[in-house]
Amino acid sequence: MKRFLLILLLASSAPAAAQQLPFRSYSIERGLSESVVNRMMQDSEGYIWIATSYGLNRFDGLDFTNYYEEDGLLSNDIHALYEDRAGRLWIGTENGVNVMEEDSIRTRSVLNPLQGTTVRTIFQDEAGGYWFGTDSHGLWHLDISGTLSQYLVDNGLPDNSVRDIVQDGAGNYWIATRGGLARLRDDTFTNFTVEEGLPEVLLRDLYLDSEGVLWIATRGGLSQYDGSEFRNYTQDEDSLVNDRVQSLSPDGEGGLWVGTEEGVSHMSGGTFTNYSVDQGLTNNIVHATLLDREQNIWFGTFGGGITAFLGDHIRNFTVENGLPNNVITSITQDNLGEHWVTTYGGGLAHYEDQRFVTYNEFHGLVDNKVYTAELSDQNDLLIGTRWGLSIYNGIVFYNYDEDRLPSRKIRTIHNPSRGEGFWLGTYGDGLLHYDDEQFQSYTTEDGLANNTVMDITEDNRGRLWFATYGGVSMLEEGGYTNYTLAEGLPNNGVMDALRAENGDMWFSTHEGIARISDGEIMAVTTGDGLPDEVCYFILQDEQGYFWIGTNRGVVRFDAERYSEDQTLAEKRKAFKLITQDQGLVANEMNASAGYTDDRGMLWFGSVGGLTRLDPSGVQINSTPPKVHVEAVSVSGESVRGVDNLQIGSDNHTISFHFIGLNFTAPEQVVYEYRIRNADNVWRRTTQRQVQLSTYLPGSYEFEVRAQNEDGIWSAETATVSFTVLAPFWMQWWFVMLAALVFAGAFYFIYHYYRTRKLVEIERMRVRIASDLHDDVGSALTEIALQSDFLQTLDVREGLKESLHQIGEQSRKIVTSLDDIVWSIDARNDTLGDLTDRMQDYINNVLPDREVHYEFGDLDMDKILDVPVKENLYLIFKEAVNNVAKHSDADRVTVRLVNKGSGSFDLVVRDNGSISNHKRKSGQGMRNMKMRANRIGADIEFTNTEGFTVHVSGEQS
């Protein structure tokens, strides 16, 4: 029965092509003008040019710019491309030759004889002359004097159809024709055919390597000529993919890429590795090959557009290659080193002998939605599924379903090193420990951080670490220790755990990764340069790099290069993102679906299939991107020519369109730009366009630089100088005129409203003063008179005393009110009003004393500020009262001086004796100081030869 089951398993498995290599293809749907590609070339500015049977294309890594006959081409059928030493692009068409200069396609009258002729190849020799190989019209030479010459069979050429021409270090020209190889020296042809050793006379392409060896693409295989003999490589003898060789390109390491009509061969060390549509090439007929500056190899095909080969260090597997399902959940190895792949919906796949064998419910698996697989101590395969646990012993499946398991969703399995059964992590029901055919459950009630356990890993001390949706739990004899957000994890949703080579524990979470070392947590997030926040798994390769599966692809993390103290720009250099454009089968990875096998290969499970990566093949791209400003638009209108751009004053926005040329990871190029003579601050962007508001009139310079996927900055910046013109209303004469008009208007309005306001205030002051004098003053006077009258009546002695006090107090208030009314009344604001008031008061208080007034040359009509007038008068009044109350003086001097510019001096001096001034330090002096402070004046008291009060200050 077991034997029958095994036969059934093998018979029901459907092996297919086992792997697919990473090719990135571009055709009509991505902007290429036509899918039949004849030639490719990379120019000195870094652009790749593609000659097709319908149009010329310029490729910047992301977009194509197409050129047709309406742009100046003599024909849309392009066969030859060549950049001369002056940077001009020469274009060989079905109808003659075009030259592109400064983005304009032109013709040269001297080349008019070539119109109507198919030009297959163009070459500039050491002397500066040009050579044109044509179809059936021979070889043409345009020398530096402008003379055009033609070479035909009659001149010794083996055939009039010329396919390629090169010049060696000795000055010899080598010409590939449809009738053999020709060497031109001193206007003499020497021809080589099958008789001299060529495998075929129908030639297509030539390549002269650094050693001076000539490689020849023929219709009968690849031929090598070292100057003395030919060495031929063919399909039958040397495993060349096909004998009909179309194109040749170096690989940058001494090898050769050979494009044929049945795929591509890579020659290295004398052996060939072949690639065709079976490995992912879009079309087997390869017309053109190109090695770009970043060492990427490109193939131009017949009907499949252009394809970049991203390297054989990446192999991809999908349902087309034999996988039962593209949603990969885990990878593991058995004791024979063979790989097992679990899928969510397709069961289990065994990878052996370059093919997949599938096991599913039909073969006894408990469920086709498989989460994980792990090898037991007995070399049985433990398989966790959505519906239970399966154990496969190589012949049959033993299943534990919901009837035998405390939980059916087995998310992860761990076989501990001590051999004490095995652990199962479940989705929502905690942990299960299986030992002696018994299951023991552990949940949050036992101290586990969360009941969804995504991964289990053992550290070098035998402790178990659980990645859960509530943080990290570590189990040792004392129980659980939990690490969560509170302890420094970037997120509590933990999906994978890894023990690093140095013993540190690493975890991938929904918001980054974290390292736990000696209880300390270091979190690494997008804020630290990590390209994506959702991290599904984390691996470590033999070189020590960490590999993190995300939603954007896989990230290689150099932890040795990373430091928390670095700037963000420096931190970013520790990360390298690899995406579908760099060879992955898909960008979105799956939780815990990463594995490092015993050969050091990395396996990544995604939603689109399985990827195997050799980490040693991932190279640093040290080629800096060449940056160009491709277009400028002002207020939405494109501007032709970007040199010394002048922008009118009525334009509101200016946009710069730029590109950093990169063909390895063009979508990962980042940019920094700044505006010189403005803020000069570098600003970072991933966009290829910047829109700015126009600046103040003046000269500026827009400057941009680009950084590739490995942190290499462009060697030079691209700049655009522009001038913002001043509008007429910003011209100096207009500004002066406007300033004068504005100043005049402001002066008029200010003085008008100030005068009006002052008049209103004065009227209000007069009205208040009148009301206080007429109403309040009259009422207080009436109270005083009534108290006097009541005192004449027969009233008690105590009441009479109170009435007397009321009368006295009313008269004091009337006196004080009289001072207030005088201060408020706008009709009393002059110096003359103040001096009159002072004289009236001192004559009233000191009628029997000699008073001298020193008012100097006062401007009696000068207006005083109300606070100055009021407080000066009250200080004077207090000083006079002190003389009256406390001094035996018989002479008083009052001096008021106006010094100009609003300053004043008030002096009140008596000639009383010193002994009679002891009380002058009481409340009166404090009041005088207070009033001086109110108007910002200085006050001095002098008690020598009488008593002097001196007040000085300025009117505001």
Side-chain angles (χ1 to χ4, degrees), residues 7 46 119 249 315 327 479 483 546 586 716 762 817-818 944:
I7 293 173
V119 178
S249 285
R315 305 291 173 108
V327 181
Y483 301 87
F546 292 92
E716 299 176 351
E762 288 184 0
L817 183 62
D818 187 53
T944 303

Side-chain angles (χ1 to χ4, degrees), residues 566-603:
Q566 292 172 328
T567 64
L568 180 58
E570 287 298 316
K571 287 180 178 179
R572 286 194 177 105
K573 295 180 180 179
F575 301 94
K576 181 180 179 67
L577 176 64
I578 298 175
T579 70
Q580 195 169 4
D581 282 339
Q582 284 77 58
L584 296 182
V585 70
N587 285 337
E588 184 182 346
M589 299 293 116
N590 275 328
S592 302
Y595 184 73
T596 307
D597 68 16
D598 56 7
R599 294 174 52 216
M601 298 293 162
L602 305 179
W603 296 76

Side-chain angles (χ1 to χ4, degrees), residues 598-616:
D598 56 7
R599 294 174 52 216
M601 298 293 162
L602 305 179
W603 296 76
F604 308 135
S606 74
V607 298
L610 177 67
T611 294
R612 186 188 73 189
L613 181 142
D614 181 356
S616 65

